[in-house]
Amino acid sequence: MSSFKDIRDFVFVGYAHDMFDDEEFCLLYDFYQSKNPDFPYNSYASFDLGEMDPAECYTKFRVEKWHIRLLADRLQIPPTFQCPQRSVCDGIEGLCMLLKRLAYPCRYSDVVHRFARPVPVLSMITNTVLDYVYDRHGHRLTQWNNQVMDPNHLQQYADVISAKGSPLDNCFGFVDGTVQPISRPGQHQRAVYNGHRRVHALKFQSVALPNGLIGNLYGPIEGRRHDAAMLAESGLLQDLQHHAVSPHGHLMCL
């Protein structure tokens, strides 16, 4: 029995010899297109960052091409990643998979041609890299980060905000909660139902700094919880009392 690929090849040859017109070619090719997104992955070339055009790299990953290896170094990405089912992936390739996944909403089937791997393997590698980055660097967001929120940096942030017209000269950032809708769960749907937005959701709290970085992140918690409760549980107020001071010892605020 001929495969879809064999039939598509025949359609191409027939079209080249004027056996089909444009409309017939499009209909036949679409009809015999494989419905399995993993089917053609072996026909694609393996991922090679060096072969990518810098403009394409930025478009696909939202990172400049020459920044990717620098980012890998800062994130302490290992030479290779190995998944639980023993799939092995180059460290840079795994990082690029994660960047692509986070750059813009997409399905794994949309990137099969880019990385020449089946959908289940793409999913496992991406999650493996994500877990690795979180385990090593998650504390930079979930705890007070003195590298970006030390007294000197806090004063710089406050000066910038004040220069933009803020009536406060000691405000270094902005805190807010966000509601992320989710599919309706089963028996626990009441716990995650957000009455204000009228959706089932999870909630997060973040501190945004004027340089564009997230200085602190807390969550997720159930969507029904109030922002004030989330603020109290996050421990952010205690962190402000202990750490949010200017170089001269003045208290800073959000």
Side-chain angles (χ1 to χ4, degrees):
M1 179 181 293
S2 299
S3 67
F4 277 6
K5 184 177 184 303
D6 293 334
I7 297 175
R8 289 198 305 273
D9 291 341
F10 170 77
V11 171
F12 273 116
V13 173
Y15 180 68
H17 289 81
D18 297 324
M19 295 173 60
F20 313 114
D21 59 26
D22 293 345
E23 184 177 357
E24 290 172 333
F25 169 76
C26 291
L27 288 173
L28 288 170
Y29 184 80
D30 183 66
F31 182 80
Y32 288 106
Q33 185 74 13
S34 173
K35 304 303 185 291
N36 180 2
D38 292 341
F39 176 76
Y41 80 90
N42 283 327
S43 64
Y44 298 121
S46 299
F47 176 78
D48 185 354
L49 180 63
E51 294 295 324
M52 289 191 67
D53 181 83
E56 181 187 14
C57 184
Y58 183 78
T59 301
K60 299 298 184 183
F61 306 136
R62 305 303 297 168
V63 176
E64 296 287 356
K65 182 177 179 178
W66 69 275
H67 280 165
I68 289 182
R69 296 194 182 279
L70 181 63
L71 180 62
D73 178 67
R74 294 296 185 268
L75 292 177
Q76 302 173 351
I77 298 297
T80 59
F81 288 102
Q82 182 169 345
C83 299
Q85 45 66 269
R86 299 183 182 179
S87 289
V88 178
C89 175
D90 177 76
I92 294 294
E93 181 182 5
L95 176 61
C96 289
M97 288 183 191
L98 179 61
L99 292 174
K100 173 60 181 176
R101 182 68 171 168
L102 299 179
Y104 191 80
C106 66
R107 295 182 174 89
Y108 286 113
S109 57
D110 298 332
V111 297
V112 168
H113 71 282
R114 170 61 60 192
F115 298 103
R117 293 176 183 269
V119 167
V121 175
L122 289 172
S123 176
M124 284 184 284
I125 293 175
T126 302
N127 288 329
T128 297
V129 179
L130 182 62
D131 290 342
Y132 175 87
V133 173
Y134 180 81
D135 290 341
R136 281 192 170 256
H137 305 286
H139 65 278
R140 302 180 190 276
L141 288 176
T142 58
Q143 302 174 19
W144 188 271
N145 188 344
N146 281 313
Q147 290 186 310
V148 296
M149 293 192 295
D150 64 282
N152 289 325
H153 279 101
L154 295 184
Q155 187 62 59
Q156 292 177 14
Y157 303 150
D159 291 343
V160 170
I161 294 174
S162 179
K164 287 293 184 178
S166 170
L168 299 173
D169 60 4
N170 66 335
C171 174
F172 69 88
F174 307 90
V175 59
D176 196 12
T178 182
V179 176
Q180 294 294 325
I182 61 173
S183 60
R184 177 175 176 172
Q187 58 181 336
H188 302 296
Q189 61 96 10
R190 283 183 172 273
V192 296
Y193 184 74
N194 184 275
H196 178 64
R197 297 287 181 86
R198 299 179 183 274
V199 294
H200 295 86
L202 298 176
K203 298 182 72 172
F204 296 84
Q205 172 188 281
S206 66
V207 173
L209 303 176
N211 60 1
L213 295 179
I214 294 178
N216 185 264
L217 183 67
Y218 177 75
I221 67 169
E222 305 94 326
R224 67 180 177 85
R225 303 296 297 278
H226 193 276
D227 285 357
M230 182 165 57
L231 177 61
E233 290 183 8
S234 69
L236 181 60
L237 296 177
Q238 290 77 11
D239 286 340
L240 287 174
Q241 292 177 342
H242 293 137
H243 304 290
V245 295
S246 72
H248 304 293
H250 300 144
L251 294 177
M252 310 294 282
C253 71
L254 293 168

